[in-house]
Amino acid sequence: MSLRTGTAGRDRGRAGTVLGVDSGGSGLRVALAPADGGGSALTWSSSVPVGTGGRGIDAPDLLDRVLPAARRLLHEAGSPGCDAVCVGAAGMATLGDDLHAVLPGVLRAELGARRLALASDAVTAYAGALGQRPGVVVAAGTGVIALGTALGPEGRWRRADGWGHLLGDCGGGAWIGRAGLEAAMRAFDGRAGGSPALLARLEAVFGPACGLPGKLYPRPDRPAVLASFAPEVGRCAPDDAVAAGILREAAHHIAAAAAAACPSPTGPGATGLGETGPGATEPGAARPGAFPEVALTGGLFRMGEPLLFPVQEELQKQLPQARLTDCQGDPLTGALRVATALAEDSLALPVDGALLRVVR
């Protein structure tokens, strides 16, 4: 675990602070920042992810690590407590029952939090990437989920994919890795559609190809193991047609998720970013005729041009009116932004019972 301090020091906490939590498959991160949105944040991190149990994400496990970290950060900031807290967690929408039941009372009692948001990591990824602007964000790592909203009075979340490696996550790291390993095994067998280049990478990473099933199938973390091969597909793609084809198909799926989640007339069944009405003049509401913004976030896109170039091509085909924009920040940044908006009574993101729940 690690602690990083910002430059503002102890005197800043007296103006009030907000706490953001990012819990995902790669670990747990906590950040404390001034409630007015200025200055730098104090952060704590652990590479050990929060466990799951019969009630989903294990609330006691999360609290056993978040509370000591939060107290340490509050002490460093010279603040007696938090004005608002946002906990963003992978699986919050489907595995968050324990968190919903336990966290509000404990965080209020232990940290003095007046307001609390419990959010899916897709929501905090959205807030980190676009802030409180309308658009769509595709978060891609081991899996893929797209989330969009038009904001405004009638705004709601539009979600596409994020259903796990058995039912979806099409184009994500596990999907790319599995396709790459399948192409390698085809080459091992001498079947059509195989890739000798990917076979060579399989054997360099996992050992003899004939032993791969025994190493893969018993693993409880199969999606992560599959996703670990996705970078090898990216490395082979510039010189291997099979690997390049896998990434083109992945790009098609990623763009399709963005199109399905896009809250504009270019996405199926959407109400539109360009709609007029009372919400068009409110903070964060869409301007009439505005093009939807699309942001890409997550570790998968660190693969670079082998994936990003076909994704950009597919977005131009499937969302020709969209405008690809750079991400402003990561999910931890997004958790802090949601907490800050709660403290300032300025939260414009859609609140619902699953993706984003607010406790006042």
Side-chain angles (χ1 to χ4, degrees):
M1 64 184 62
S2 64
L3 172 69
R4 290 189 299 146
T5 61
T7 59
R10 293 178 179 272
D11 59 340
R12 70 181 184 182
R14 300 187 180 4
T17 55
V18 295
L19 191 79
V21 178
D22 175 39
S23 175
S26 61
L28 180 66
R29 299 186 299 159
V30 181
L32 184 77
D36 60 8
S40 57
L42 302 173
T43 63
W44 173 94
S45 65
S46 169
S47 60
V48 180
V50 174
T52 58
R55 287 174 56 84
I57 303 168
D58 191 334
D61 183 27
L62 184 144
L63 288 169
D64 283 347
R65 285 186 280 158
V66 166
L67 288 178
R71 293 188 189 106
R72 185 175 177 182
L73 297 179
L74 285 165
H75 175 76
E76 177 68 20
S79 176
C82 302
D83 292 341
V85 177
C86 174
V87 178
M92 180 72 80
T94 53
L95 299 172
D97 287 351
D98 204 22
L99 299 185
H100 291 149
V102 174
L103 261 59
V106 174
L107 292 177
R108 182 173 287 119
E110 297 293 331
L111 302 180
R114 297 181 297 107
R115 296 176 180 179
L116 170 70
L118 300 177
S120 163
D121 62 336
V123 170
T124 53
Y126 184 101
L130 291 181
Q132 298 201 93
R133 303 200 307 273
V136 60
V137 171
V138 181
T142 298
V144 168
I145 184 169
L147 203 63
T149 181
L151 299 181
E154 304 301 323
R156 60 186 178 90
W157 292 113
R158 291 183 57 87
R159 169 184 172 164
D161 213 337
W163 304 121
H165 76 293
L166 293 179
L167 299 176
D169 283 350
C170 299
W175 187 96
I176 291 172
R178 185 211 56 78
L181 291 171
E182 180 186 347
M185 298 306 294
R186 286 179 177 272
F188 179 74
D189 291 342
R191 290 179 287 152
S195 166
L198 290 173
L199 175 59
R201 296 312 306 152
L202 181 159
E203 294 184 330
V205 174
F206 295 106
C210 59
L212 180 61
K215 293 182 177 180
L216 179 62
Y217 292 141
R219 294 282 294 264
D221 58 344
R222 282 188 299 275
V225 176
L226 291 171
S228 72
F229 196 69
E232 303 297 337
V233 179
R235 293 185 185 103
C236 290
D239 302 307
D240 183 76
V242 174
I246 291 171
L247 295 187
R248 282 196 300 272
E249 188 174 355
H252 176 83
H253 289 305
I254 289 170
C262 189
S264 76
T266 56
T271 56
L273 278 175
E275 61 188 355
T276 58
T281 59
E282 296 185 2
R287 300 185 311 277
F291 290 165
E293 286 187 278
V294 177
L296 307 176
T297 187
L300 186 65
F301 295 116
R302 289 198 291 267
M303 189 182 297
E305 284 302 308
L307 178 63
L308 285 174
F309 183 74
V311 167
Q312 291 165 359
E313 286 190 326
E314 283 293 331
L315 286 172
Q316 289 175 357
K317 293 177 184 177
Q318 299 189 44
L319 280 172
Q321 300 302 314
R323 179 166 59 89
L324 190 61
T325 187
D326 292 334
C327 290
Q328 296 178 344
D330 63 7
L332 185 59
T333 302
L336 283 175
R337 285 179 170 170
V338 171
T340 299
L342 282 179
E344 296 177 342
D345 285 320
S346 63
L347 185 65
L349 298 176
V351 175
D352 60 22
L355 292 172
L356 178 59
R357 180 179 298 187
V358 172
V359 181
R360 300 181 186 273

